[in-house]
Amino acid sequence: MYARRKHQYFAMMGVCIALFVLAWGVVRLWSVPAAVAMCVVAMVIPPVAAIVANRRGPDDRWWDDPSGDAKSDEWWDEIDGKKRPR
């Protein structure tokens, strides 16, 4: 899952850079408002790419990891309906 998220992140950032370069290198010669619109779209991509890269997938098992505090782990196991061997 990590490799897929990494590839998605780099693809989105590549699109972002391509939009900036095309907007001010090519499109501005014909239409400045279109170049500005392309830059606005490119401005939105990096936060979305960061969210995509940092989200947890269904295969990421971070919530089952014990915290190290035996009392807290026992309490959460009771809430979740699990019993952990001692």
Side-chain angles (χ1 to χ4, degrees), residues 4 11 16 20 31-33 35-36 45 48-49 56 60-61 63 66 68-69 73 76 79 81 84-86:
R4 182 181 304 155
C16 177
F20 272 119
S31 173
V32 172
V36 170
I45 293 174
V48 173
R56 299 278 184 180
D60 297 337
R61 303 293 294 180
W63 60 87
D69 180 15
D73 291 340
W76 280 109
I79 288 175
R84 197 174 277 171
R86 295 181 192 221

Side-chain angles (χ1 to χ4, degrees), residues 32-49:
V32 172
V36 170
M38 288 173 69
C39 284
V40 169
V41 170
M43 181 180 66
V44 173
I45 293 174
V48 173

Side-chain angles (χ1 to χ4, degrees), residues 6-8 16 22 24 39 46-49 53 64 67 69 78 82:
K6 187 170 72 170
H7 288 131
Q8 288 174 342
C16 177
L22 286 174
W24 296 114
C39 284
V48 173
D64 286 342
S67 67
D69 180 15
E78 181 181 337
K82 294 188 280 183

Side-chain angles (χ1 to χ4, degrees), residues 5-6 8 10 13 17 26 32 39 49 54 73 83:
R5 288 194 309 256
K6 187 170 72 170
Q8 288 174 342
F10 283 118
M13 293 307 291
I17 291 171
V26 178
V32 172
C39 284
N54 289 311
D73 291 340
K83 283 293 182 189

